[in-house]
Amino acid sequence: MTRDELNDALLRFGGKLERWPQPERDAARLLVKGDAVAAKMLSDFVAFEQTIAEAVHSEPFGATEIGTVLARLDTAEAGWRPSTRFWIASAGISALSFAAGFAAILMVSSQDVAPSLMDLASGKVNLGGLL
Amino acid sequence: MIRALPEKQRVALLLAVQGERSNAEIGSILGISEGAAEQLLVRARRTLREKIKEKEGAQ
């Protein structure tokens, strides 16, 4: 890795080497170990990021902007969750199913065929000697 | 200074610095590719670094 490549990698991945991809991290550590200028580039970049982090923490920037970021994080991490509309729709479908079943029972019970079917099902009657 | 960055660059930078998210995670959160997230971060960091240098040079 050259110093220019180190500079590019710092801009891409930031100043924390442990968060870099393995090949770039190893190459950067090797370079920094043997090159004082590269080592200063790294330490300067870490100081620069520290400045950014402090700016992020300072008011009034943090309150609103970080809230926006955290909201995005929550949305991204939560994945799919049932919404209120989902629960209302589910309850509606359940109620309709119940009503349809109840209506069907009323219709069947109001017809003469129902008792005979029930009797047949329970074995009280023997239709043509089939049972 | 950070506020002056375009919104996507600013959010990407906050996710990296404050949220300690990887470039891939930032891309996923913003709905863009990892490479596109990297480019946002590169532009944001480059801009801020130059502005800080200008500020230090002026003092």
Side-chain angles (χ1 to χ4, degrees), chain B:
Chain B
M1 200 179 290
I2 297 173
R3 277 189 174 281
L5 293 171
E7 187 190 0
K8 279 194 172 179
Q9 288 183 32
R10 190 168 65 236
V11 172
L13 189 71
L14 289 173
L15 286 168
V17 173
Q18 185 77 9
E20 297 204 335
R21 300 287 166 149
S22 69
N23 294 353
E25 288 171 326
I26 292 168
S28 174
I29 290 165
L30 297 180
I32 56 178
S33 68
E34 182 178 354
E38 266 183 30
Q39 285 309 306
L40 287 175
L41 288 168
V42 167
R43 284 199 286 272
R45 286 173 174 136
R46 189 174 281 152
T47 302
L48 289 176
R49 197 167 62 175
E50 284 168 6
K51 285 188 176 181
I52 288 173
K53 276 183 185 173
E54 283 173 16
K55 201 176 173 183
E56 286 174 352
Q59 287 174 348

Side-chain angles (χ1 to χ4, degrees), chain A residues 63-91:
Chain A
T64 53
E65 208 76 23
I66 290 172
T68 305
V69 171
L70 291 177
R72 288 194 189 216
L73 287 175
D74 286 344
T75 304
E77 288 173 352
W80 182 82
R81 284 182 185 165
S83 64
T84 306
R85 289 178 66 185
F86 171 85
W87 291 117
I88 291 171
S90 298

Side-chain angles (χ1 to χ4, degrees), chain A residues 42-102:
Chain A
L42 176 60
S43 63
D44 284 350
F45 198 90
V46 170
F48 158 70
E49 284 205 322
Q50 184 63 35
T51 304
I52 294 176
E54 285 166 8
V56 168
H57 282 292
S58 66
E59 291 289 340
F61 183 83
T64 53
E65 208 76 23
I66 290 172
T68 305
V69 171
L70 291 177
R72 288 194 189 216
L73 287 175
D74 286 344
T75 304
E77 288 173 352
W80 182 82
R81 284 182 185 165
S83 64
T84 306
R85 289 178 66 185
F86 171 85
W87 291 117
I88 291 171
S90 298
I93 290 168
S94 300
L96 282 173
S97 302
F98 178 78
F102 189 70

